[in-house]
């Protein structure tokens, strides 16, 4: 009789066990990142499952449904810092510093951008880029040995990085332009398919007149990502003062270039000194493509936001709010708060402005090193390692007329 009672208890316990998929997809995805990292130590199965891209994306979407800017990633030489805010009401700064040990030889890396918790670093030569998750410490170095056959020091390289949700693919755009010549090359790397593809000027990728060497002259900053599209502010050399400057866009899903006519670009100060306002760089404010410029005579900063309706909204920052030497700007949490990197009296500074409160006031946050780079960041468990695809998927990709 006692034995029967024991069997019944074991049967009851057995019925109470939850399916593993239910635990991972409906319970663990709701836990904070630190807790999930600890659960990876339970077993090899748990480690493999919680390290998968599927789990990483599910966890990220649950915690960041609209991918807000929760923190900044600050790069100073080989050191990286997280700057996060505990709340929107009170600006409490929490700074976490760490170093990354990635062997890149003599290559000089630039911070291309961040997306879904992944950080992209690209070399100035164009020969390699790195995808890295600072939370899990996983990274992968992607080399392109073929580029050394075509490009030397006489080429300028700019990058772009983004994610296409429909195809579940991260894409890296590389634009290489001859500094003194007339040639340029455009390549797109698909992380999902693990290969580069050159974008040629054909009927399906017509950028005739858009990607001339004149318009590529000023492409020294990485592309600005808004939704599935990267944007660059093109420029013209001094001998083409009358040429129109353009904002160029690259749709990552369709892999096509175009111009962006709704946001006109004025001539930079270094080329024409009598312009009323000069545009200096593109940025993202309130989740929209924006540009930062300044008035030549009074030094006021001008933030122009392109709303979804196609209308523009201008915010003029007086010189006493922010120095005219503003070098970067990042919108925070999709709200009216913006981070601004500017030059103070002696060294670069990072400050915050809340555009929703008047009068506008710059709140200093911290001092930066001379070569510091900043980017918005939202932590995730997404792996930078390539996910395997089937041969049928690869065949469908090659046969797709849109690619």
């Amino acid at each position: 009789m006692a034995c029967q009672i024991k069997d019944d208890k074991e049967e009851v316990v057995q019925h109470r066990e939850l399916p593993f998929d239910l635990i991972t997809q409906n319970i663990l995805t709701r836990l904070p990142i630190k807790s999930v990292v600890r659960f990876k130590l339970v077993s090899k199965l748990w480690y493999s499952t919680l390290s998968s891209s599927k789990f990483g994306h599910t966890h990220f979407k649950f915690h960041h449904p609209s991918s807000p800017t929760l923190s900044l990633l600050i790069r100073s030489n080989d050191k990286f810092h997280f700057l996060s805010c505990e709340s929107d009401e009170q600006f409490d700064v929490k700074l976490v510093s760490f170093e990354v040990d990635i062997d890149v030889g003599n290559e000089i890396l630039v911070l291309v951008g961040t997306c879904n918790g992944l950080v992209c670093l690209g070399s100035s030569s164009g020969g390699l880029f790195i995808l890295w998750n600072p939370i899990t410490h996983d990274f992968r170095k992607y080399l392109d040995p073929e580029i050394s056959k075509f490009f030397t020091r006489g080429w300028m390289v700019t990058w772009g990085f983004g994610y296409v949700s429909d195809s579940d693919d991260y894409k890296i755009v590389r634009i290489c332009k001859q500094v003194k010549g007339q040639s340029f090359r455009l390549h797109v790397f698909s992380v999902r398919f693990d290969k580069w593809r050159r974008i040629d000027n054909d009927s399906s990728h017509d950028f005739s007149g858009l990607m001339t060497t004149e318009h590529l002259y000023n492409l020294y900053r990485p592309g600005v990502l808004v939704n599935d599209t990267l944007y660059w502010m093109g420029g013209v050399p001094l001998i083409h003062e009358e040429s129109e400057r353009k904002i160029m866009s690259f749709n990552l899903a369709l892999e096509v270039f175009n111009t962006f006519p709704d946001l006109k670009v004025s001539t930079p100060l270094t080329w024409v000194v009598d312009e009323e306002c000069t545009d200096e760089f593109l940025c993202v404010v309130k989740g929209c493509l924006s540009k930062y410029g300044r008035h030549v005579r009074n030094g006021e900063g001008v933030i122009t936001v392109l709303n979804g309706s196609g209308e523009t909204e201008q915010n003029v920052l007086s010189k006493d709010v922010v120095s005219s030497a503003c070098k970067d700007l990042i919108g925070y949490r999709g709200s009216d708060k913006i981070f601004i990197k500017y030059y103070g009296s002696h060294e670069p500074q990072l400050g915050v402005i809340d555009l929703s409160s008047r009068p506008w006031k710059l709140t200093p946050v911290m001092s930066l090193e001379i070569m510091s780079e900043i980017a918005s960041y939202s932590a995730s468990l997404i792996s930078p390692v390539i996910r395997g695809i089937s041969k049928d998927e690869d065949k469908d990709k090659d046969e797709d007329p849109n690619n």
Side-chain angles (χ1 to χ4, degrees):
M1 187 66 178
C3 183
Q4 180 65 38
I5 293 175
K6 182 179 180 181
D7 290 342
D8 290 342
K9 288 183 178 179
E10 288 181 352
E11 185 176 352
V12 172
V13 173
Q14 198 172 30
H15 282 302
R16 287 179 179 175
E17 291 183 359
L18 295 175
F20 183 65
D21 290 344
L22 179 64
I23 295 174
T24 56
Q25 296 300 313
N26 295 83
I27 298 177
L28 297 183
T29 52
R30 288 159 169 75
L31 296 180
I33 286 180
K34 290 183 179 179
S35 299
V36 176
V37 172
R38 288 198 296 267
F39 277 116
K40 285 185 177 183
L41 303 177
V42 171
S43 67
K44 290 183 179 180
L45 175 61
W46 281 55
Y47 180 85
S48 175
T49 303
L50 301 184
S51 299
S52 67
S53 295
K54 179 181 178 181
F55 179 85
H57 279 90
T58 303
H59 185 276
F60 183 79
K61 290 178 181 178
F62 180 82
H63 290 271
H64 311 301
S66 59
S67 298
T69 298
L70 298 179
S71 59
L72 283 186
L73 181 72
I74 304 173
R75 180 191 181 218
S76 300
N77 298 319
D78 293 331
K79 294 184 178 180
F80 292 81
H81 312 277
F82 281 136
L83 188 149
S84 61
C85 301
E86 298 297 335
S87 67
D88 285 332
E89 300 299 328
Q90 185 175 359
F91 194 77
D92 298 323
V93 177
K94 182 185 294 183
L95 193 64
V96 180
S97 305
F98 50 92
E99 295 186 28
V100 184
D101 185 15
I102 303 176
D103 183 16
V104 296
N106 296 323
E107 293 280 5
I108 299 175
L109 297 180
V110 297
L111 178 58
V112 178
T114 68
C115 186
N116 296 352
L118 295 182
V119 178
C120 182
L121 302 167
S123 68
S124 58
S125 68
L128 68 87
F129 70 89
I130 294 167
L131 287 186
W132 166 53
N133 187 322
I135 302 300
T136 63
H137 306 292
D138 295 330
F139 72 89
R140 168 138 187 200
K141 182 167 57 176
Y142 296 84
L143 300 173
D144 186 9
E146 294 297 321
I147 198 172
S148 60
K149 298 180 181 179
F150 302 99
F151 306 129
T152 61
R153 294 181 180 179
W155 291 76
M156 179 186 71
V157 178
T158 189
W159 297 88
F161 171 55
Y163 174 69
V164 182
S165 57
D166 289 345
S167 60
D168 187 24
D169 192 8
Y170 292 90
K171 293 186 178 182
I172 292 84
V173 178
R174 180 181 63 200
I175 304 177
C176 303
K177 175 198 168 288
Q178 233 176 355
V179 175
K180 296 183 179 181
Q182 298 296 314
S183 299
F184 61 89
R185 300 288 186 272
L186 310 172
H187 302 91
V188 178
F189 184 87
S190 166
V191 173
R192 187 181 181 205
F193 290 88
D194 192 21
K195 61 182 179 182
W196 285 101
R197 195 165 73 83
R198 177 175 171 178
I199 304 296
D200 292 315
N201 186 12
D202 55 29
S203 58
S204 61
H205 305 92
D206 186 11
F207 48 84
S208 176
L210 305 181
M211 301 302 292
T212 63
T213 53
E214 287 81 7
H215 294 141
L216 284 170
Y217 185 80
N218 198 35
L219 292 178
Y220 63 94
R221 296 172 67 99
V224 172
L225 179 67
V226 180
N227 299 324
D228 289 345
T229 304
L230 289 165
Y231 298 90
W232 289 270
M233 183 184 291
V236 294
L238 181 62
I239 58 175
H240 297 285
E241 290 180 2
E242 298 180 357
S243 298
E244 180 185 0
R245 299 185 69 218
K246 299 181 179 181
I247 292 177
M248 295 171 295
S249 66
F250 183 78
N251 187 299
L252 292 171
L254 302 177
E255 295 190 356
V256 293
F257 273 95
N258 208 335
T259 53
F260 202 69
D262 297 314
L263 205 58
K264 295 181 180 179
V265 183
S266 63
T267 307
L269 176 64
T270 52
W271 294 329
V272 178
V273 296
D274 58 353
E275 285 286 331
E276 180 181 354
C277 183
T278 64
D279 291 317
E280 299 192 353
F281 56 82
L282 297 179
C283 52
V284 179
V285 176
K286 302 179 183 179
C288 301
L289 178 68
S290 308
K291 64 177 181 177
Y292 178 84
R294 62 189 178 95
H295 287 286
V296 176
R297 293 181 177 84
N298 57 26
E300 291 180 333
V302 182
I303 303 171
T304 304
V305 181
L306 181 69
N307 297 319
S309 60
E311 298 180 353
T312 59
E313 168 192 333
Q314 281 200 342
N315 299 276
V316 179
L317 306 178
S318 61
K319 194 173 182 180
D320 60 341
V321 173
V322 62
S323 165
S324 60
C326 176
K327 295 301 179 182
D328 215 338
L329 186 152
I330 293 177
Y332 177 67
R333 281 187 182 272
S335 68
D336 288 333
K337 285 188 176 180
I338 55 175
F339 284 108
I340 289 186
K341 175 187 172 184
Y342 63 99
Y343 276 92
S345 56
H346 301 290
E347 57 188 354
Q349 303 287 326
L350 183 68
V352 173
I353 296 177
D354 189 348
L355 297 177
S356 64
S357 62
R358 298 294 184 98
W360 289 329
K361 179 183 178 181
L362 176 67
T363 302
V365 176
M366 60 180 293
S367 297
L368 300 172
E369 295 183 13
I370 295 295
M371 300 302 293
S372 294
E373 301 169 282
I374 61 175
S376 60
Y377 186 76
S378 297
S380 81
L381 294 166
I382 296 173
S383 173
V385 179
I386 293 176
R387 292 145 286 166
I389 60 172
S390 66
K391 293 182 179 180
D392 291 337
E393 284 182 302
D394 201 4
K395 181 179 179 181
D396 292 340
K397 173 74 174 180
D398 292 336
E399 292 178 354
D400 189 347
N402 294 324
N403 294 287

